[in-house]
Amino acid sequence: MSSEELKINVEKALDEIRPFLQSDGGDINLLSIDDDKLVKVQLTGACTSCSVNQMTLKSGVEMTIKKYAPQIERVINVE
């Protein structure tokens, strides 16, 4: 998978999870994909102050991204 295809797949994953975040007043933006393994995102809105945002990041965002792009190893939130 090329870097461009990887970015498209990561965006598809974010588009899948975005409605759930938006329903709680939050959102997510893709900042970068480093070495085709590390995805950096930024949680926004209500997600920035949510006490379970790390669980959302791991259980929801990272799992969904790995479904679309299995080579991704980690997803981190950049505040």
Side-chain angles (χ1 to χ4, degrees):
M1 185 181 304
S2 72
S3 293
E4 186 59 32
E5 290 170 320
L6 180 61
K7 183 178 182 206
I8 289 167
N9 282 352
V10 169
E11 288 284 5
K12 285 180 188 174
L14 295 180
D15 287 344
E16 181 178 311
I17 199 152
R18 188 168 278 119
F20 299 103
L21 298 174
Q22 290 174 337
S23 71
D24 288 329
D27 207 343
I28 190 166
N29 298 313
L30 175 63
L31 299 178
S32 66
I33 302 172
D34 299 343
D35 301 322
D36 291 346
K37 295 178 184 171
L38 173 67
V39 174
K40 292 180 181 175
V41 297
Q42 184 174 46
L43 294 168
T44 61
C47 292
T48 59
S49 60
C50 178
S51 63
V52 294
N53 69 9
Q54 286 306 307
M55 187 176 75
T56 298
L57 193 65
K58 287 289 177 197
S59 303
V61 177
E62 187 171 287
M63 186 177 74
T64 305
I65 287 174
K66 286 181 176 181
K67 181 172 76 174
Y68 283 87
Q71 69 270 44
I72 296 299
E73 295 175 1
R74 285 184 45 213
V75 177
I76 61 169
N77 180 46
V78 177
E79 295 182 19

